[in-house]
Amino acid sequence: MSNYKTVFFTLGILQIILGIFMLIPIIVQFIYGQIDSSFFGAAIVTIIFGTLFFLSNLDHEKKLNLQQAFLLTALAWLSIAIFGSLPFIFSNLEFSVTNAFFESMSGITTTGSTIISNLENMPKGILFWRAILQWLGGIGVIVMAITLMPIMNVGGMQLFKISNNDSSEKILPKSKEVALRLIYIYSGLTALCAITYNIFGMNIFDSITHSMTTIATGGFSNYNQSIGFFNSLAIETTAMVFIILGSVPFIVYIKFLNGNRSIFTSDSQIKTFIKIIFISIFILSIYLTLNNSSSFDLRSIFFNVISILTGTGYVNAQFDNWGSFPLVLFLALMFIGGCAGSTTCGIKIFRFQILYSFVINQLKKIIYPKGVFVLKYDKNPIDDKFIASIISFIYMYLIIFFLLSALLSLNGLDFITAISGAATSISNVGPGLGSIIGPNGNFSSLPDFSKWILTIGMILGRLELFAILVLFLPSFWRN
């Protein structure tokens, strides 16, 4: 195991950090007079394990090769989900291991699905911990997408290398610098969101927790009715603005601060992302106007389109009562997702952009057999290796979606619940469709087997599929 000392050393640091964050809800417990030993006990266990990993691997090499990068990515998310479930298990709420792990995995992957059916009656410490998990998951996703995924060549993410000279051996020094700047930006946006929520009527506790889950595009709320509980246009508008700010590539913030003032209007992904939002709103508005005028509410259409596309999962209306077509549209939006390098989920905008360009090029070659057509993304030429990576990613995404759906159906779930459950887990969205796991439903009534299947879908979707699947290849473990 000496080859993996860097991996376990880093895991130790992550567990110590997680344990320190577990102490924060204790402050919340003091404030609201809800003291128990759940968070203190969970923090002690987590910090002890983290310290053991840290101290036993002090002689690690200060570099990370490709094999170690894959292993670290998978183990980091899995270990955080496991230790993140301890406060639920140690609480007085009688969480089963399955439910605790489901809630923790849903939080750290910023999915937002929940097994809690009475959120209003939950202890404040538990609600705050759910928000912390999503907030940590959000920054983890950004750092991973910008620093690790590109050098791992996962699903075309190599297009987003920090520098063309990046290699797996050089990633640690540069990633530390980039990660720090990303954390400052992420924390600043969270603070600004919390202040804005508070100004528009949320109390301090709600504004802090909801700001953390908004920027993370996670969607955990303190109320069964989600953001709809507040019934406030100002709060919903604030949520939409900061959800979009969390859905753009975070590297553009760094470029903006470095002097590129036009980056937000020139970035190809952002422009396509905004177009998809407005096209979806337009189509849904026309449909509801013509077929279900009583359900037409532009405010709800705007909010839920943005929330579902970005995988946030906040809701302010029972959109499963809008008819069949809106459900199909929302299912498609779940798959599309937001921009690469953001906190969002799904297949990602850039993959659809490149796939569209590839299809257009193929049609041109049919019309002009002797023509030479160079495939470009954001004015840069891309080769067949990138195309193969993206097509294989989308293919595996759909295969895994159908496998998850089939397994859920075999466990007795109805068609809508199985299909939307699989989609919401692999796309890290949160709510599904239908009466059970729909906008104001939850996952508590599902069989334990279904919950474990959904947690597998969550981590696969969050880590871009191949970062997990590659670990099951025997060739991966050969030197």
Side-chain angles (χ1 to χ4, degrees), residues 417-436:
T417 303
I419 290 290
S420 64
T424 197
S425 66
I426 196 173
S427 297
N428 305 119
V429 174
L433 304 173
S435 59
I436 301 174

Side-chain angles (χ1 to χ4, degrees), residues 454-467:
L454 291 170
T455 57
I456 293 170
M458 291 175 198
I459 194 169
L460 282 171
R462 187 74 282 177
L463 299 187
E464 306 276 335
L465 306 184
F466 291 111

